[in-house]
Amino acid sequence: MIFQSSLAPRSEMLVGQRMELLLNLLNSSNENVAEVAAHVLARCCESVEHQQAIVDAGGMQRLVTLLSGTIRRREAALDGLAALVKNNPQLSLQLAAMEQGRPLALIIKFVKDKIPRTRFLACMCLANISRSCPFCYPQEWDIRTSMLAVIVKLLEEPGQVGEESPIVLADIVANNEELQRAAYKFDAIVKLSALLQRESLPTKQLEGILMALAELCSRLEESRRQLLDQDPGKNAQAAIISALSHPSESVRVASCTCIKSLSRSVKNLRTTLSDERLVFPLFKLLDDPSPVVQVAALSAVSNVVLDFTPHKSVFFQCGGVSQLIQLSRSMDPMLRLNAVWALRNLLYLADMAVKEKVISELTVSTLTSLIHDPEEMVQEQALAFVRNLVYGSVDSVQQVFAEESAILIAVERQLCIACRPEGVYVLSNIAAGNELHKEAVMSFVAPVSQEGRNPSPILRFLQDMSNPQLRVAAVWCVMNLSYPDSPGAVTRVARLRESGIEQQLQKMVDDPCLDVKDRVKTALEQFTGLANV
């Protein structure tokens, strides 16, 4: 009972004689004692260190021995083994290879046992092995498909098995489109949606349902459509949104994750969820006391504002932008990262009014600080933000020249430190502007000093064979600078040629990246055409 609590002294149980006593109890002739000892061991597997300590003391072998015992012993053993290998590739592989695969074969056999709890625990154990160490045992695909059919049926089982089956389903299909498609065919979404509409669901079951739906809808449009379109009363959708205000932190996170997956379906979400119903409760979570919930909410917001113009409007009205900007200044790097990511998506294909509102509130100084953030991932998102800021009209491009071109200078300095595709795309978008904008980029791409021409930074990007996206961005920049219809194109091409750009492009005509190859062809055609002017 004590070890059901997160406050239980797990580390203290694994020290000295206590561990040995607990392991000896697994061999007790009293079935109740052996069962409870196995469950306590399972609750002690909170970290990799805990798991390894139990295995080093012989815990895995003793649990495997219990698999051949009575129903209660084997179920306790399955519970213990599932906890022992969870998120641990090394121990998963060790269990799979143990005794020439005999324990693993026994666990696989239990998937089709007549007792629901045994089937559930066997599925949970195998799901943990597969997720930690994919393809570590033969015929894994067939076995996981079989597990999937079993766990979907167990969703409707009463009691603890039904309550815990959704989270195991989520683990089985995680990051696997083929298994997600198989679950769709097994009507997993229909069953989960029906469960979601029940009143007073246990917290653990609600969290599992939301996480399972999040996984099932993360990649497949047909899954998202099934959940959104086949919910005439919108009861399931209402339950997902309602969960945003649930007392449990883990449920709030799961709800955000589910909304993130559903918001990848632009058409469906726009037509089924009203702006206020979705955006207002999501916005409130940006101020949640838990940083974990805040990060999950930011991740959902990033998707919601990406291509939902009505949602962007509501987001402004409810003060969401101000909250994002405040979080972009957080000391927590994960909050900063996800806040900047959301702001970046807010600017995607945004009109000039939205861009002006965001940059005026964010301020140029904050943006330049984010471009030079200590965390590389924050730097990358800040550069992507600038890329979206300057995309489109000449007025959009002009914004990086505010305050003595502070934003452009920050981007160029960052590109001198590291090769960043997003930074090169910023230059490319600026180069698509007017003549003054193109010349500003030229001063970086083909720099000139009193001693003569300096090596071109863009040449370094074109030569980087480790990053196709960087080469694509660099060629786009050259194309925009050499656009034939712009007045100064002839002069710029001459300067680019002197900097060795054309010679490098000629070496790239057979680039292994098709996108690079196509862009290079266009760029060289522009160079050739302007040479004859």
Side-chain angles (χ1 to χ4, degrees), residues 172-418:
I172 293 172
V173 301
N175 304 315
N176 191 310
E177 190 172 318
E178 291 183 43
L179 286 172
Q180 290 167 10
R181 187 168 279 109
Y184 169 82
K185 292 176 181 177
F186 290 145
D187 284 335
I189 292 172
V190 174
K191 292 183 179 182
L192 289 166
S193 179
L195 288 171
L196 194 57
Q197 296 174 55
R198 292 182 182 177
E199 294 184 5
S200 304
L201 283 172
T203 297
K204 193 166 188 178
Q205 186 175 19
L206 177 57
E207 178 192 354
I209 291 169
L210 292 168
M211 288 307 297
L213 287 171
E215 289 290 352
L216 290 168
C217 297
S218 62
R219 302 184 182 209
L220 299 178
E221 180 65 19
E222 56 261 46
S223 295
R224 293 189 282 265
R225 191 181 300 118
Q226 187 176 48
L227 179 59
L228 293 169
D229 291 353
Q230 296 183 16
D231 183 22
K234 297 183 172 55
N235 295 322
Q237 295 166 48
I240 293 169
I241 294 172
S242 176
L244 290 170
S245 55
H246 196 278
S248 165
E249 174 187 304
S250 59
V251 170
R252 297 198 300 278
V253 169
S255 180
C256 289
T257 308
C258 191
I259 289 169
K260 177 184 177 181
S261 291
L262 290 174
S263 60
R264 289 174 176 152
S265 178
V266 175
K267 177 179 179 294
N268 284 323
L269 193 64
R270 182 185 290 140
T271 56
T272 56
L273 292 178
S274 72
D275 307 322
E276 294 81 3
R277 282 179 61 203
L278 175 64
V279 176
F280 284 171
L282 202 52
F283 161 66
K284 288 181 181 178
L285 291 186
L286 296 181
D287 201 28
D288 195 274
S290 165
V292 176
V293 175
Q294 285 180 296
V295 168
L298 284 167
S299 190
V301 165
S302 291
N303 271 18
V304 168
V305 301
L306 183 59
D307 197 28
F308 294 78
T309 303
H311 290 159
K312 289 183 182 182
S313 174
V314 175
F315 206 69
F316 271 102
Q317 292 169 21
C318 68
V321 174
S322 300
Q323 189 69 6
L324 289 179
I325 289 170
Q326 183 180 335
L327 290 169
S328 75
R329 296 170 178 145
S330 169
M331 295 299 291
D332 185 327
M334 286 304 294
L335 287 177
R336 279 202 315 281
L337 170 65
N338 284 278
V340 178
W341 203 321
L343 286 167
R344 162 206 176 167
N345 286 354
L346 187 66
L347 289 196
Y348 178 70
L349 300 180
D351 58 35
M352 195 61 204
V354 169
K355 291 179 179 181
E356 287 177 340
K357 285 180 185 177
V358 173
I359 196 63
S360 65
E361 194 166 345
L362 179 64
T363 74
V364 170
S365 62
T366 298
L367 179 54
T368 54
S369 295
L370 289 167
I371 291 170
H372 294 297
D373 193 273
E375 301 291 330
E376 287 189 12
M377 292 179 70
V378 176
Q379 295 171 16
E380 192 71 23
Q381 290 308 313
L383 289 170
F385 173 93
V386 180
R387 175 185 176 182
N388 287 347
L389 178 69
V390 297
Y391 177 81
S393 66
V394 169
D395 288 339
S396 294
V397 174
Q398 189 60 36
Q399 292 182 96
V400 296
F401 294 91
E403 299 185 21
E404 299 180 344
S405 305
I407 299 172
L408 177 58
I409 291 168
V411 171
E412 290 176 347
R413 282 178 180 168
Q414 192 58 256
L415 286 174
C416 289
I417 298 168

Side-chain angles (χ1 to χ4, degrees), residues 4 60 64 66 82 169 232 244 276 405 460 463:
Q4 294 295 326
M60 181 181 285
V64 163
L66 290 181
L169 171 59
L244 290 170
E276 294 81 3
S405 305
R460 177 162 51 96
Q463 293 169 343

Side-chain angles (χ1 to χ4, degrees), residues 102-117:
R102 281 191 289 273
L104 181 66
L106 202 52
I107 296 170
I108 293 169
K109 178 184 174 185
F110 290 148
V111 169
K112 297 185 178 180
D113 194 86
K114 62 181 180 180
I115 300 170
R117 180 157 177 77

